Short mmCIF file of all heavy atoms in Angstrom, two decimals:
data_model
loop_
_atom_site.label_atom_id
_atom_site.label_comp_id
_atom_site.label_asym_id
_atom_site.label_seq_id
_atom_site.Cartn_x
_atom_site.Cartn_y
_atom_site.Cartn_z
N MET A 1 5.72 -13.33 12.23
CA MET A 1 5.24 -11.98 12.03
C MET A 1 5.08 -11.78 10.45
O MET A 1 5.81 -12.26 9.65
CB MET A 1 6.37 -11.01 12.55
CG MET A 1 5.91 -9.61 12.57
SD MET A 1 7.17 -8.46 13.31
CE MET A 1 7.01 -9.04 15.03
N ARG A 2 4.11 -10.93 10.15
CA ARG A 2 3.80 -10.59 8.73
C ARG A 2 3.39 -9.09 8.59
O ARG A 2 3.13 -8.54 9.62
CB ARG A 2 2.64 -11.61 8.19
CG ARG A 2 1.34 -11.24 8.81
CD ARG A 2 0.27 -12.25 8.16
NE ARG A 2 -0.96 -11.88 8.76
CZ ARG A 2 -1.94 -11.12 8.47
NH1 ARG A 2 -1.56 -10.31 7.36
NH2 ARG A 2 -3.07 -10.91 8.95
N ILE A 3 3.41 -8.73 7.33
CA ILE A 3 3.01 -7.39 7.02
C ILE A 3 1.57 -7.33 6.63
O ILE A 3 1.26 -8.17 5.81
CB ILE A 3 4.00 -6.68 6.09
CG1 ILE A 3 5.35 -6.60 6.63
CG2 ILE A 3 3.43 -5.38 5.57
CD1 ILE A 3 6.47 -5.97 5.70
N SER A 4 0.91 -6.35 7.15
CA SER A 4 -0.62 -6.25 6.65
C SER A 4 -0.59 -4.74 6.01
O SER A 4 -0.15 -3.80 6.53
CB SER A 4 -1.54 -6.18 7.92
OG SER A 4 -2.77 -5.78 7.61
N TYR A 5 -1.25 -4.79 5.00
CA TYR A 5 -1.56 -3.54 4.24
C TYR A 5 -2.98 -2.91 4.34
O TYR A 5 -3.47 -2.10 3.62
CB TYR A 5 -1.21 -3.63 2.78
CG TYR A 5 0.18 -4.07 2.44
CD1 TYR A 5 0.42 -5.38 2.07
CD2 TYR A 5 1.19 -3.19 2.56
CE1 TYR A 5 1.79 -5.79 1.81
CE2 TYR A 5 2.41 -3.58 2.25
CZ TYR A 5 2.77 -4.91 1.99
OH TYR A 5 4.04 -5.21 1.77
N ASN A 6 -3.73 -3.37 5.37
CA ASN A 6 -4.98 -2.96 5.65
C ASN A 6 -5.14 -1.39 5.84
O ASN A 6 -6.10 -0.75 5.40
CB ASN A 6 -5.61 -3.58 6.90
CG ASN A 6 -5.91 -5.11 6.63
OD1 ASN A 6 -6.13 -5.43 5.55
ND2 ASN A 6 -6.09 -5.86 7.74
N LYS A 7 -4.07 -0.86 6.48
CA LYS A 7 -4.09 0.70 6.53
C LYS A 7 -4.12 1.26 5.18
O LYS A 7 -4.69 2.33 4.96
CB LYS A 7 -2.87 1.16 7.25
CG LYS A 7 -2.91 0.90 8.82
CD LYS A 7 -1.62 1.49 9.41
CE LYS A 7 -1.66 1.52 10.91
NZ LYS A 7 -0.46 2.26 11.48
N LEU A 8 -3.44 0.76 4.20
CA LEU A 8 -3.52 1.27 2.81
C LEU A 8 -4.86 1.24 2.29
O LEU A 8 -5.26 2.28 1.68
CB LEU A 8 -2.50 0.51 1.90
CG LEU A 8 -2.53 0.80 0.43
CD1 LEU A 8 -2.28 2.23 0.06
CD2 LEU A 8 -1.67 -0.12 -0.40
N TRP A 9 -5.64 0.10 2.39
CA TRP A 9 -6.93 0.03 1.84
C TRP A 9 -7.79 0.93 2.51
O TRP A 9 -8.75 1.58 1.80
CB TRP A 9 -7.43 -1.48 1.98
CG TRP A 9 -6.52 -2.41 1.44
CD1 TRP A 9 -6.07 -3.53 1.98
CD2 TRP A 9 -5.66 -2.44 0.15
NE1 TRP A 9 -5.09 -4.22 1.23
CE2 TRP A 9 -4.86 -3.52 0.08
CE3 TRP A 9 -5.71 -1.43 -1.02
CZ2 TRP A 9 -4.10 -3.86 -1.02
CZ3 TRP A 9 -4.92 -1.80 -2.02
CH2 TRP A 9 -4.01 -2.95 -2.04
N LYS A 10 -7.77 1.20 3.82
CA LYS A 10 -8.47 2.14 4.43
C LYS A 10 -8.30 3.51 4.04
O LYS A 10 -9.12 4.44 3.87
CB LYS A 10 -8.35 2.01 6.04
CG LYS A 10 -8.95 0.73 6.69
CD LYS A 10 -8.59 0.68 8.10
CE LYS A 10 -8.98 -0.80 8.57
NZ LYS A 10 -8.61 -1.05 9.91
N LEU A 11 -7.01 3.78 3.78
CA LEU A 11 -6.61 5.13 3.35
C LEU A 11 -7.12 5.39 1.99
O LEU A 11 -7.69 6.55 1.63
CB LEU A 11 -5.09 5.30 3.48
CG LEU A 11 -4.49 6.67 3.07
CD1 LEU A 11 -4.96 7.74 3.94
CD2 LEU A 11 -3.05 6.59 3.14
N LEU A 12 -7.16 4.45 1.09
CA LEU A 12 -7.78 4.62 -0.20
C LEU A 12 -9.20 4.88 -0.18
O LEU A 12 -9.72 5.69 -0.94
CB LEU A 12 -7.49 3.40 -1.08
CG LEU A 12 -6.06 3.16 -1.61
CD1 LEU A 12 -5.93 1.76 -2.35
CD2 LEU A 12 -5.55 4.31 -2.40
N ILE A 13 -9.94 4.20 0.74
CA ILE A 13 -11.34 4.41 0.93
C ILE A 13 -11.58 5.91 1.34
O ILE A 13 -12.45 6.64 0.88
CB ILE A 13 -11.99 3.36 1.89
CG1 ILE A 13 -12.02 2.04 1.17
CG2 ILE A 13 -13.34 3.77 2.41
CD1 ILE A 13 -12.34 0.95 2.20
N ASP A 14 -10.82 6.28 2.33
CA ASP A 14 -10.96 7.65 2.85
C ASP A 14 -10.69 8.80 1.79
O ASP A 14 -11.34 9.71 1.84
CB ASP A 14 -9.99 7.90 4.03
CG ASP A 14 -10.34 7.15 5.28
OD1 ASP A 14 -11.42 6.70 5.35
OD2 ASP A 14 -9.40 7.03 6.18
N LYS A 15 -9.90 8.38 0.89
CA LYS A 15 -9.49 9.45 -0.26
C LYS A 15 -10.42 9.14 -1.42
O LYS A 15 -10.19 9.99 -2.35
CB LYS A 15 -7.95 9.23 -0.60
CG LYS A 15 -7.04 9.79 0.47
CD LYS A 15 -5.63 9.70 0.02
CE LYS A 15 -4.65 10.23 1.04
NZ LYS A 15 -4.50 11.65 0.91
N GLY A 16 -11.21 8.21 -1.48
CA GLY A 16 -12.11 7.99 -2.50
C GLY A 16 -11.39 7.42 -3.72
O GLY A 16 -11.79 7.79 -4.89
N MET A 17 -10.33 6.73 -3.52
CA MET A 17 -9.43 6.29 -4.65
C MET A 17 -9.55 4.69 -4.82
O MET A 17 -9.66 4.03 -3.84
CB MET A 17 -8.07 6.69 -4.42
CG MET A 17 -7.06 6.36 -5.50
SD MET A 17 -5.40 6.99 -4.97
CE MET A 17 -5.28 8.43 -5.94
N THR A 18 -9.64 4.23 -6.00
CA THR A 18 -9.59 2.85 -6.24
C THR A 18 -8.12 2.34 -6.37
O THR A 18 -7.27 3.14 -6.56
CB THR A 18 -10.34 2.45 -7.57
OG1 THR A 18 -9.62 2.98 -8.69
CG2 THR A 18 -11.76 3.08 -7.56
N GLU A 19 -8.04 1.04 -6.37
CA GLU A 19 -6.70 0.39 -6.53
C GLU A 19 -6.15 0.65 -7.86
O GLU A 19 -4.89 1.00 -7.97
CB GLU A 19 -6.72 -1.10 -6.30
CG GLU A 19 -7.21 -1.50 -4.87
CD GLU A 19 -7.36 -3.04 -4.84
OE1 GLU A 19 -6.89 -3.81 -5.81
OE2 GLU A 19 -7.92 -3.45 -3.75
N MET A 20 -6.89 0.79 -8.94
CA MET A 20 -6.45 1.00 -10.25
C MET A 20 -6.14 2.55 -10.40
O MET A 20 -5.07 2.81 -11.14
CB MET A 20 -7.50 0.64 -11.35
CG MET A 20 -7.61 -0.97 -11.41
SD MET A 20 -6.12 -1.75 -11.86
CE MET A 20 -5.69 -2.63 -10.29
N GLU A 21 -6.72 3.41 -9.77
CA GLU A 21 -6.35 4.75 -9.72
C GLU A 21 -5.07 4.95 -9.03
O GLU A 21 -4.20 5.71 -9.43
CB GLU A 21 -7.45 5.57 -9.17
CG GLU A 21 -8.71 5.77 -9.90
CD GLU A 21 -9.88 6.32 -9.12
OE1 GLU A 21 -9.93 6.38 -7.94
OE2 GLU A 21 -10.82 6.96 -9.79
N LEU A 22 -4.85 4.28 -7.99
CA LEU A 22 -3.56 4.27 -7.33
C LEU A 22 -2.41 3.78 -8.13
O LEU A 22 -1.34 4.39 -8.30
CB LEU A 22 -3.70 3.43 -5.96
CG LEU A 22 -2.30 3.37 -5.18
CD1 LEU A 22 -1.76 4.77 -4.82
CD2 LEU A 22 -2.40 2.33 -4.12
N LYS A 23 -2.67 2.62 -8.82
CA LYS A 23 -1.70 2.07 -9.77
C LYS A 23 -1.19 3.09 -10.81
O LYS A 23 -0.11 3.20 -11.04
CB LYS A 23 -2.25 0.81 -10.45
CG LYS A 23 -1.39 0.20 -11.54
CD LYS A 23 -2.04 -0.91 -12.27
CE LYS A 23 -3.04 -0.36 -13.25
NZ LYS A 23 -2.40 0.14 -14.51
N ASP A 24 -2.20 3.77 -11.42
CA ASP A 24 -1.80 4.69 -12.50
C ASP A 24 -1.16 5.89 -11.93
O ASP A 24 -0.25 6.44 -12.51
CB ASP A 24 -3.16 5.15 -13.23
CG ASP A 24 -3.76 4.02 -13.97
OD1 ASP A 24 -3.10 3.01 -14.30
OD2 ASP A 24 -4.99 4.01 -14.31
N ALA A 25 -1.65 6.48 -10.73
CA ALA A 25 -1.14 7.74 -10.19
C ALA A 25 0.22 7.41 -9.64
O ALA A 25 1.12 8.30 -9.87
CB ALA A 25 -2.06 8.22 -9.08
N ALA A 26 0.50 6.21 -9.11
CA ALA A 26 1.80 5.98 -8.52
C ALA A 26 2.81 5.49 -9.59
O ALA A 26 4.03 5.42 -9.36
CB ALA A 26 1.66 5.05 -7.32
N GLY A 27 2.33 4.94 -10.61
CA GLY A 27 3.14 4.37 -11.73
C GLY A 27 3.73 3.06 -11.37
O GLY A 27 4.80 2.81 -11.61
N VAL A 28 2.88 2.25 -10.60
CA VAL A 28 3.30 0.95 -10.26
C VAL A 28 2.50 -0.07 -11.04
O VAL A 28 1.47 0.23 -11.71
CB VAL A 28 3.23 0.63 -8.74
CG1 VAL A 28 4.05 1.58 -7.87
CG2 VAL A 28 1.69 0.76 -8.35
N SER A 29 3.05 -1.30 -11.21
CA SER A 29 2.37 -2.25 -11.92
C SER A 29 1.13 -2.91 -11.31
O SER A 29 1.05 -2.87 -10.05
CB SER A 29 3.37 -3.44 -12.26
OG SER A 29 3.67 -4.15 -11.07
N ALA A 30 0.24 -3.58 -12.12
CA ALA A 30 -0.90 -4.20 -11.58
C ALA A 30 -0.45 -5.43 -10.75
O ALA A 30 -1.13 -5.74 -9.84
CB ALA A 30 -1.61 -4.74 -12.76
N ALA A 31 0.70 -6.03 -11.04
CA ALA A 31 1.23 -7.17 -10.30
C ALA A 31 1.56 -6.68 -8.92
O ALA A 31 1.35 -7.45 -7.86
CB ALA A 31 2.44 -7.69 -11.08
N SER A 32 2.18 -5.47 -8.86
CA SER A 32 2.51 -5.01 -7.46
C SER A 32 1.22 -4.79 -6.61
O SER A 32 1.16 -5.07 -5.52
CB SER A 32 3.24 -3.64 -7.52
OG SER A 32 4.55 -3.83 -8.10
N ILE A 33 0.23 -4.22 -7.20
CA ILE A 33 -1.05 -4.01 -6.52
C ILE A 33 -1.67 -5.25 -6.11
O ILE A 33 -2.25 -5.49 -4.94
CB ILE A 33 -2.12 -3.22 -7.35
CG1 ILE A 33 -1.54 -1.80 -7.71
CG2 ILE A 33 -3.45 -3.09 -6.79
CD1 ILE A 33 -1.29 -0.87 -6.58
N ALA A 34 -1.57 -6.35 -7.03
CA ALA A 34 -2.05 -7.72 -6.68
C ALA A 34 -1.39 -8.17 -5.49
O ALA A 34 -1.90 -8.86 -4.62
CB ALA A 34 -2.03 -8.51 -7.89
N LYS A 35 -0.01 -8.14 -5.47
CA LYS A 35 0.82 -8.53 -4.36
C LYS A 35 0.40 -7.97 -3.03
O LYS A 35 0.34 -8.59 -2.07
CB LYS A 35 2.25 -8.44 -4.55
CG LYS A 35 2.90 -9.28 -5.58
CD LYS A 35 4.39 -8.96 -5.70
CE LYS A 35 5.06 -9.92 -6.61
NZ LYS A 35 6.56 -9.49 -6.87
N LEU A 36 0.13 -6.57 -3.03
CA LEU A 36 -0.30 -5.88 -1.87
C LEU A 36 -1.66 -6.54 -1.37
O LEU A 36 -1.80 -6.70 -0.26
CB LEU A 36 -0.56 -4.43 -2.13
CG LEU A 36 0.70 -3.55 -2.41
CD1 LEU A 36 0.34 -2.28 -2.96
CD2 LEU A 36 1.48 -3.46 -1.04
N GLY A 37 -2.54 -6.79 -2.31
CA GLY A 37 -3.84 -7.37 -2.01
C GLY A 37 -3.68 -8.72 -1.37
O GLY A 37 -4.62 -9.07 -0.59
N LYS A 38 -2.68 -9.52 -1.63
CA LYS A 38 -2.42 -10.86 -1.09
C LYS A 38 -1.50 -10.73 0.17
O LYS A 38 -1.17 -11.82 0.76
CB LYS A 38 -1.92 -11.73 -2.11
CG LYS A 38 -2.88 -12.02 -3.20
CD LYS A 38 -2.24 -12.86 -4.28
CE LYS A 38 -3.19 -13.17 -5.39
NZ LYS A 38 -2.66 -13.87 -6.55
N GLY A 39 -1.07 -9.55 0.51
CA GLY A 39 -0.10 -9.42 1.66
C GLY A 39 1.23 -9.85 1.30
O GLY A 39 2.08 -10.21 2.15
N GLY A 40 1.56 -9.76 0.06
CA GLY A 40 2.93 -10.30 -0.49
C GLY A 40 4.05 -9.28 -0.23
O GLY A 40 3.79 -8.19 0.29
N ASN A 41 5.21 -9.65 -0.57
CA ASN A 41 6.37 -8.78 -0.39
C ASN A 41 6.49 -7.91 -1.64
O ASN A 41 6.31 -8.27 -2.77
CB ASN A 41 7.72 -9.71 -0.36
CG ASN A 41 7.77 -10.55 0.81
OD1 ASN A 41 7.29 -10.16 1.83
ND2 ASN A 41 8.40 -11.77 0.73
N ILE A 42 6.77 -6.56 -1.30
CA ILE A 42 6.75 -5.46 -2.22
C ILE A 42 8.12 -4.70 -1.93
O ILE A 42 8.56 -4.60 -0.77
CB ILE A 42 5.61 -4.60 -2.09
CG1 ILE A 42 4.27 -5.18 -2.31
CG2 ILE A 42 5.68 -3.24 -2.78
CD1 ILE A 42 4.04 -5.57 -3.70
N THR A 43 8.78 -4.25 -2.98
CA THR A 43 10.07 -3.55 -2.74
C THR A 43 9.69 -2.19 -2.14
O THR A 43 8.59 -1.64 -2.20
CB THR A 43 10.75 -3.19 -4.12
OG1 THR A 43 9.86 -2.46 -4.87
CG2 THR A 43 11.00 -4.62 -4.78
N THR A 44 10.75 -1.66 -1.46
CA THR A 44 10.51 -0.35 -0.74
C THR A 44 10.30 0.73 -1.93
O THR A 44 9.66 1.70 -1.65
CB THR A 44 11.74 -0.05 0.06
OG1 THR A 44 12.90 -0.15 -0.69
CG2 THR A 44 11.74 -0.91 1.31
N ASP A 45 10.84 0.61 -3.03
CA ASP A 45 10.59 1.56 -4.15
C ASP A 45 9.06 1.71 -4.34
O ASP A 45 8.60 2.84 -4.55
CB ASP A 45 11.31 1.13 -5.39
CG ASP A 45 12.91 1.22 -5.27
OD1 ASP A 45 13.39 2.01 -4.48
OD2 ASP A 45 13.56 0.69 -6.21
N VAL A 46 8.42 0.54 -4.52
CA VAL A 46 6.97 0.67 -4.74
C VAL A 46 6.25 1.26 -3.56
O VAL A 46 5.41 2.18 -3.81
CB VAL A 46 6.49 -0.73 -5.02
CG1 VAL A 46 4.93 -0.79 -5.01
CG2 VAL A 46 6.91 -1.31 -6.36
N LEU A 47 6.64 0.95 -2.42
CA LEU A 47 5.97 1.43 -1.31
C LEU A 47 6.29 2.99 -1.20
O LEU A 47 5.24 3.69 -0.74
CB LEU A 47 6.50 0.71 0.04
CG LEU A 47 6.17 -0.71 0.21
CD1 LEU A 47 6.89 -1.25 1.46
CD2 LEU A 47 4.62 -0.90 0.37
N LEU A 48 7.34 3.48 -1.52
CA LEU A 48 7.72 4.94 -1.43
C LEU A 48 6.97 5.63 -2.48
O LEU A 48 6.52 6.78 -2.33
CB LEU A 48 9.24 5.14 -1.61
CG LEU A 48 10.08 4.76 -0.42
CD1 LEU A 48 11.49 4.98 -0.62
CD2 LEU A 48 9.63 5.50 0.89
N LYS A 49 6.79 5.04 -3.68
CA LYS A 49 5.96 5.65 -4.76
C LYS A 49 4.48 5.87 -4.23
O LYS A 49 3.83 6.89 -4.57
CB LYS A 49 5.99 4.77 -5.97
CG LYS A 49 7.26 4.91 -6.83
CD LYS A 49 7.15 3.97 -7.96
CE LYS A 49 8.43 3.94 -8.85
NZ LYS A 49 8.38 3.17 -10.03
N ILE A 50 4.05 4.80 -3.67
CA ILE A 50 2.59 4.88 -3.10
C ILE A 50 2.57 5.99 -2.03
O ILE A 50 1.59 6.75 -2.10
CB ILE A 50 2.21 3.48 -2.58
CG1 ILE A 50 2.01 2.55 -3.70
CG2 ILE A 50 0.97 3.66 -1.76
CD1 ILE A 50 1.75 1.07 -3.26
N CYS A 51 3.53 6.13 -1.17
CA CYS A 51 3.49 7.12 -0.07
C CYS A 51 3.55 8.53 -0.70
O CYS A 51 2.86 9.47 -0.28
CB CYS A 51 4.61 6.82 0.81
SG CYS A 51 4.38 5.46 1.97
N GLU A 52 4.39 8.63 -1.76
CA GLU A 52 4.58 9.92 -2.36
C GLU A 52 3.14 10.38 -3.04
O GLU A 52 2.76 11.45 -3.00
CB GLU A 52 5.65 9.80 -3.40
CG GLU A 52 7.07 9.97 -2.80
CD GLU A 52 8.10 9.71 -3.78
OE1 GLU A 52 7.86 9.71 -5.05
OE2 GLU A 52 9.29 9.74 -3.38
N THR A 53 2.64 9.40 -3.66
CA THR A 53 1.30 9.70 -4.38
C THR A 53 0.18 9.97 -3.27
O THR A 53 -0.59 10.94 -3.61
CB THR A 53 0.74 8.38 -5.20
OG1 THR A 53 1.92 8.10 -6.19
CG2 THR A 53 -0.50 8.60 -5.89
N LEU A 54 0.21 9.24 -2.27
CA LEU A 54 -0.92 9.53 -1.22
C LEU A 54 -0.53 10.58 -0.22
O LEU A 54 -1.36 10.83 0.70
CB LEU A 54 -1.20 8.18 -0.53
CG LEU A 54 -1.76 7.08 -1.40
CD1 LEU A 54 -1.93 5.78 -0.53
CD2 LEU A 54 -3.10 7.61 -2.04
N ASN A 55 0.73 11.15 -0.35
CA ASN A 55 1.19 12.25 0.62
C ASN A 55 1.20 11.68 2.03
O ASN A 55 0.45 12.37 2.90
CB ASN A 55 0.46 13.44 0.36
CG ASN A 55 1.20 14.57 1.08
OD1 ASN A 55 2.35 14.59 1.30
ND2 ASN A 55 0.38 15.67 1.58
N CYS A 56 1.71 10.47 2.27
CA CYS A 56 1.72 9.99 3.61
C CYS A 56 3.03 9.33 3.91
O CYS A 56 3.98 9.21 3.14
CB CYS A 56 0.58 8.88 3.73
SG CYS A 56 0.87 7.46 2.73
N HIS A 57 3.18 8.84 5.13
CA HIS A 57 4.33 8.11 5.54
C HIS A 57 4.13 6.55 5.46
O HIS A 57 3.00 6.10 5.49
CB HIS A 57 4.72 8.40 6.95
CG HIS A 57 5.05 9.90 7.08
ND1 HIS A 57 6.36 10.37 6.78
CD2 HIS A 57 4.32 10.87 7.55
CE1 HIS A 57 6.40 11.73 7.04
NE2 HIS A 57 5.17 12.08 7.49
N ILE A 58 5.22 5.83 5.39
CA ILE A 58 5.14 4.32 5.19
C ILE A 58 4.35 3.75 6.40
O ILE A 58 3.60 2.77 6.20
CB ILE A 58 6.49 3.74 5.03
CG1 ILE A 58 6.35 2.33 4.38
CG2 ILE A 58 7.29 3.68 6.32
CD1 ILE A 58 7.70 1.91 3.64
N GLU A 59 4.49 4.20 7.54
CA GLU A 59 3.64 3.64 8.65
C GLU A 59 2.18 3.91 8.55
O GLU A 59 1.36 3.31 9.24
CB GLU A 59 4.23 4.09 10.08
CG GLU A 59 4.08 5.57 10.28
CD GLU A 59 5.31 6.34 9.81
OE1 GLU A 59 6.26 5.86 9.11
OE2 GLU A 59 5.52 7.51 10.22
N ASP A 60 1.87 4.78 7.56
CA ASP A 60 0.44 4.97 7.41
C ASP A 60 -0.22 4.02 6.45
O ASP A 60 -1.49 3.97 6.26
CB ASP A 60 0.20 6.41 6.69
CG ASP A 60 0.63 7.57 7.61
OD1 ASP A 60 0.57 7.37 8.89
OD2 ASP A 60 1.06 8.55 7.14
N ILE A 61 0.58 3.21 5.73
CA ILE A 61 -0.04 2.25 4.84
C ILE A 61 0.33 0.75 5.21
O ILE A 61 -0.27 -0.17 4.45
CB ILE A 61 0.48 2.55 3.34
CG1 ILE A 61 2.09 2.24 3.27
CG2 ILE A 61 0.07 3.90 2.95
CD1 ILE A 61 2.56 2.30 1.80
N LEU A 62 1.16 0.50 6.10
CA LEU A 62 1.40 -0.86 6.55
C LEU A 62 1.70 -1.08 8.06
O LEU A 62 1.93 -0.02 8.66
CB LEU A 62 2.56 -1.49 5.77
CG LEU A 62 3.94 -0.92 5.93
CD1 LEU A 62 4.75 -1.50 7.20
CD2 LEU A 62 4.76 -1.25 4.67
N GLU A 63 1.51 -2.31 8.49
CA GLU A 63 1.86 -2.57 9.94
C GLU A 63 2.31 -4.02 10.03
O GLU A 63 1.83 -4.76 9.26
CB GLU A 63 0.68 -2.29 10.76
CG GLU A 63 -0.53 -3.11 10.53
CD GLU A 63 -1.79 -2.77 11.39
OE1 GLU A 63 -1.60 -2.19 12.43
OE2 GLU A 63 -2.91 -3.04 10.88
N THR A 64 3.02 -4.38 11.07
CA THR A 64 3.37 -5.65 11.29
C THR A 64 2.44 -6.28 12.20
O THR A 64 1.89 -5.55 13.14
CB THR A 64 4.78 -5.84 11.87
OG1 THR A 64 4.89 -5.05 12.95
CG2 THR A 64 5.84 -5.37 10.89
N ILE A 65 2.17 -7.58 11.99
CA ILE A 65 1.19 -8.32 12.86
C ILE A 65 1.90 -9.57 13.30
O ILE A 65 2.31 -10.35 12.45
CB ILE A 65 -0.12 -8.62 11.99
CG1 ILE A 65 -0.73 -7.37 11.52
CG2 ILE A 65 -1.04 -9.51 12.82
CD1 ILE A 65 -2.13 -7.43 11.11
N ASP A 66 1.69 -9.84 14.67
CA ASP A 66 2.15 -11.16 15.02
C ASP A 66 1.14 -12.27 14.70
O ASP A 66 -0.06 -12.00 14.82
CB ASP A 66 2.26 -11.08 16.66
CG ASP A 66 3.37 -10.05 17.09
OD1 ASP A 66 4.43 -10.00 16.48
OD2 ASP A 66 3.13 -9.49 18.10
N GLU A 67 1.80 -13.42 14.37
CA GLU A 67 0.88 -14.49 14.04
C GLU A 67 0.86 -15.46 15.18
O GLU A 67 1.63 -15.69 16.05
CB GLU A 67 1.47 -15.14 12.83
CG GLU A 67 1.26 -14.30 11.57
CD GLU A 67 1.68 -14.98 10.26
OE1 GLU A 67 2.87 -15.31 10.05
OE2 GLU A 67 0.81 -15.21 9.48
#
């Protein structure tokens, strides 16, 4: 099982926001955004900052996928 952040990328498109705009607005590092892009492990602190910035819940930006 793995985590997919495809919901996050779709949400950004819907809001007309780029990854770099999200980085700046949420106050997260470029490395964290890069990890998200690769489906890497991210701390819950970063995920919560993103959710607060986008005014959404954590289930709106990620999902688990069976491999």
Side-chain angles (χ1 to χ4, degrees):
M1 189 175 289
R2 67 180 179 85
I3 292 179
S4 169
Y5 299 104
N6 286 340
K7 286 183 166 185
L8 171 61
W9 309 130
K10 289 176 186 171
L11 186 59
L12 286 180
I13 290 168
D14 291 345
K15 292 184 178 274
M17 184 180 256
T18 67
E19 294 174 18
M20 290 302 108
E21 289 170 337
L22 174 63
K23 175 188 79 73
D24 294 337
V28 298
S29 69
S32 292
I33 298 295
K35 283 182 184 179
L36 287 168
K38 295 178 182 176
N41 293 327
I42 296 293
T43 65
T44 52
D45 289 341
V46 170
L47 294 174
L48 290 176
K49 285 180 184 179
I50 290 170
C51 288
E52 288 174 1
T53 300
L54 297 175
N55 193 28
C56 67
H57 297 282
I58 199 157
E59 61 268 17
D60 296 330
I61 64 169
L62 63 82
E63 64 186 333
T64 57
I65 299 195
D66 293 326
E67 290 185 295

